[in-house]
Amino acid sequence: MSKGVTDVPAALTAEQKADDRGLLLDATESLIYANGVQAVGMDKIREVSGLSLKRIYSMFRTKEDIVVAVLRRRDVRWRADLATFVEGFDDPTRRILAIFDWLRNWFGDTGFRGCAWVNIHGELGASSTAILDEVRMHKQAFREQITALTDAEQPEIADTIYLLAEGAIVTAGIAGTPEIADVARRAAERLLSGCRVSTTPDRNS
């Protein structure tokens, strides 16, 4: 080998970068959802992800940046899962009630620890503008998702359904009672029984 020549590490491929990012976000999400953000140090994230701190900090400048990325990815997955579930029903009213069926299933998961956004907001929302913005964006997106399922001419329906859903999420997280989703569903059913719910204009009105 010629003198003065040193081995240079091979550049990471796009696939490896994506894999590393996924490992990091998976590890961080599981840790902070179970334990909270402040209880989880970077060394623990390094240990669980299997990535070096140098590699982690090459992807994200701060721990806050990692948490924001975790919330953003979770938001996309969470709302997509909900959308897929409710789209399995043709009847507009049944689709709205399916929100609570989906929540009931989520609440019953072994690892359910309440709303990740509410939990992290409680820890860091007052001190981190970036995290506060991410929490607000998720809640607004969820609110818009519910609005899309209800009658645009009756926005109060969407407001009430949203509040019932959010109340059920918070209550289930605190009390550990999945059946609270059934209580919220019955309240929503009573509300909708006296309302016309449609995703298309009523040509006869």
Side-chain angles (χ1 to χ4, degrees), residues 12 16 20-21 23-24 27-28 41-60 66:
L12 291 171
Q16 184 60 60
D20 285 355
R21 180 185 173 89
L23 285 171
L24 175 60
T28 305
M42 291 302 299
D43 284 337
K44 188 64 176 178
I45 293 174
R46 172 192 56 76
E47 176 189 337
V48 175
S49 68
L51 301 169
S52 68
L53 289 178
K54 181 179 180 180
R55 179 74 188 108
I56 291 171
Y57 283 120
S58 74
M59 291 186 282
F60 295 97
I66 303 174

Side-chain angles (χ1 to χ4, degrees), residues 17-93:
K17 289 179 180 179
D19 287 345
D20 285 355
R21 180 185 173 89
L23 285 171
L24 175 60
L25 297 184
D26 285 346
T28 305
E29 182 174 357
S30 64
L31 286 168
I32 65 177
Y33 186 59
N35 304 288
V37 177
Q38 297 180 83
V40 176
M42 291 302 299
D43 284 337
K44 188 64 176 178
I45 293 174
R46 172 192 56 76
E47 176 189 337
V48 175
S49 68
L51 301 169
S52 68
L53 289 178
K54 181 179 180 180
R55 179 74 188 108
I56 291 171
Y57 283 120
S58 74
M59 291 186 282
F60 295 97
R61 187 173 59 86
T62 66
K63 181 181 175 183
E64 179 187 62
D65 291 339
I66 303 174
V67 174
V68 167
V70 163
L71 290 177
R72 192 164 297 168
R73 188 184 67 157
R74 186 181 178 94
D75 166 71
V76 172
R77 184 182 70 242
W78 192 91
R79 290 187 297 107
D81 288 349
L82 173 59
T84 298
F85 186 86
V86 301
E87 285 169 6
F89 302 91
D90 293 328
D91 179 70
T93 297

